[in-house]
Amino acid sequence: FAIAAAIALLLSCASQFFRPSRFPVLLYFGLYYIPLLILNILILVIAILRRKLTLFIPLIALIPTLLLADRYVKVGREESPLSGRNVSVLTYNIGRYSAGGRRVTSNEAVSGIRQFIASEDAGIVCLQEFAVKDTNALSPYLPVYPYVAHHLFKGNRAFGNVTMSKYPIVRTEVLTFPGSRNLSLVTDIDVGGVTVRVYNCHLESYSISFTTLIRKLLHRDTFSDEVAQVHGRVREATIRRAEQVESLLASEAASDLPCIVCGDFNDTPVSYTYRKLCQTKKDSFVESGSGFSSTFAMLWPMIRVDYILIPQEFSSARHETPRVPWSDHYPVLTNIYFE
């Protein structure tokens, strides 16, 4: 059992290096990275208490996880004497004002999110899963920002991404993905004479309600069918997300502007998505975060799916994930320094 658990954890660490469409089995190991990590730690502790030589099996498997630890948790805050031109960026999946099924009404979520965004007073705000009945009346739902870009899919309630800025938005582009209502809203923003490109992303989701999933899995008669359906959705969504990442990277490569990539990636720090997007970027949490990096409220502190990635030549400070109750996601906020 210890050997099987160790191999599974090693495969989980390796899954981020393989394209999901070519090696679909590995994506499941990546998805279960945290449970596999906890399992191997428990096996190690038990082996130590029992003074068994099998302790070396989980120990060897845990060594590679040290390279990934700072993506999930950091002790203390690294205070850097940063100065110069900077902008604060806030990204927040507001979940269509549904509060993630928590005991908060839609009206309370609207009011709470407005007040929260206004209190943070960020220079650039990127919202995902924004929803509104009348696209001609956005202002009641949003704090006052002089520059706003949005792309909303039509339905009973229009929904999509919104980018708000204190600085002039000089160009807007929408990067949509075939067969999906996920997107990246691209804006070129003039921040005090420096034009930066901001990708406000909402990548392919698993389309699974966590609470509904638990309710279904409690029915033993259909347990195996539900597990199979869930994993089928996970496989399809992960493959689609990898394709979306490739489109995003191609768009970024075609621009000579410094690019900030943020939003809800719907994927963990041990994933193909994260590794590809971080190849030319720095993760604001890794650079300036503290504590747990988790942004998914329903499984805090286990899961992070929301990020702010910055160019290598930029720096970040004050990375925060305020635990406000208005969505099933927590917002992410950081200060980005250009010089």
Side-chain angles (χ1 to χ4, degrees):
F1 181 75
I3 294 175
I7 292 173
L9 180 59
L10 291 173
L11 288 174
S12 179
C13 293
S15 65
Q16 61 187 305
F17 297 99
F18 297 91
R19 190 178 178 88
S21 59
R22 295 179 182 175
F23 301 91
V25 174
L26 287 178
L27 68 88
Y28 298 117
F29 288 98
L31 181 65
Y32 293 117
Y33 171 76
I34 292 293
L36 289 171
L37 175 64
I38 294 172
L39 177 60
N40 276 270
I41 291 173
L42 288 175
I43 293 173
L44 175 62
V45 171
I46 292 171
I48 291 173
L49 292 176
R50 293 182 177 180
R51 299 181 180 180
K52 298 288 187 179
L53 290 177
T54 52
L55 67 89
F56 289 104
I57 298 173
L59 184 62
I60 292 171
L62 287 167
I63 289 174
T65 65
L66 297 176
L67 301 175
L68 309 177
D70 64 353
R71 302 179 187 180
Y72 287 90
V73 62
K74 293 187 72 177
V75 179
R77 184 187 297 275
E78 296 180 9
E79 297 292 347
S80 302
L82 298 177
S83 61
R85 194 174 303 171
N86 68 90
V87 62
S88 55
V89 176
L90 170 67
T91 180
Y92 193 6
N93 182 327
I94 61 177
R96 305 190 198 186
Y97 297 114
S98 68
R102 290 187 280 182
R103 295 180 180 178
V104 175
T105 67
S106 179
N107 287 337
E108 288 172 335
V110 170
S111 176
I113 290 169
R114 278 178 55 87
Q115 292 179 25
F116 169 74
I117 294 174
S119 68
E120 291 297 339
D121 197 32
I124 299 172
V125 178
C126 296
L127 302 177
Q128 305 87 44
E129 289 203 75
F130 174 85
V132 63
K133 289 183 179 179
D134 182 4
T135 55
N136 295 316
L138 296 179
S139 58
Y141 297 85
L142 297 172
V144 177
Y145 271 77
Y147 306 98
V148 179
H150 63 82
H151 183 80
L152 305 178
F153 294 103
K154 294 182 179 179
N156 293 332
R157 297 173 72 197
F159 68 94
N161 294 12
V162 175
T163 298
M164 305 184 296
S165 174
K166 292 182 179 181
Y167 307 95
I169 296 175
V170 298
R171 180 179 175 274
T172 300
E173 176 187 350
V174 180
L175 188 61
T176 56
F177 308 117
S180 174
R181 288 198 168 187
N182 293 82
L183 74 144
S184 180
L185 180 60
V186 187
T187 50
D188 295 345
I189 302 176
D190 182 355
V191 183
V194 176
T195 302
V196 296
R197 174 162 291 186
V198 178
Y199 286 84
N200 175 1
C201 303
H202 185 207
L203 301 183
E204 193 73 23
S205 68
Y206 296 119
S207 301
I208 299 170
S209 165
F210 179 73
T211 52
T212 301
L213 172 62
I214 294 299
R215 195 179 303 118
K216 288 182 177 181
L217 293 182
L218 289 176
H219 294 283
R220 296 183 180 180
D221 295 340
T222 60
F223 181 84
S224 59
D225 292 338
E226 296 296 345
V227 169
Q229 289 179 17
V230 167
H231 282 82
R233 288 186 183 182
V234 167
R235 179 181 182 276
E236 181 180 348
T238 305
I239 291 173
R240 278 192 177 190
R241 197 158 49 243
E243 294 170 351
Q244 293 168 4
V245 166
E246 297 296 341
S247 296
L248 196 155
L249 291 174
S251 170
E252 183 182 341
S255 171
D256 57 359
L257 296 175
C259 299
I260 298 169
V261 181
C262 67
D264 177 8
F265 296 175
N266 271 309
D267 225 333
T268 70
V270 180
S271 66
Y272 179 86
T273 298
Y274 178 88
R275 186 185 69 83
K276 290 292 287 186
L277 291 177
C278 281
Q279 283 183 327
T280 59
K281 296 284 184 293
K282 294 191 290 190
D283 181 340
S284 63
F285 174 79
V286 174
E287 177 154 304
S288 58
S290 179
F292 291 104
S293 66
S294 174
T295 64
F296 187 60
M298 307 305 290
L299 286 176
W300 193 92
M302 302 286 285
I303 295 179
R304 176 162 69 129
V305 292
D306 304 272
Y307 305 83
I308 298 177
L309 307 181
I310 65 176
Q312 291 288 347
E313 63 270 23
F314 289 2
S315 299
S316 70
R318 199 176 70 92
H319 175 106
E320 296 178 357
T321 53
R323 295 178 65 186
V324 292
W326 313 121
S327 171
D328 55 354
H329 292 247
Y330 291 134
V332 178
L333 177 70
T334 194
N335 281 4
I336 300 174
Y337 287 78
F338 301 159
E339 300 171 350

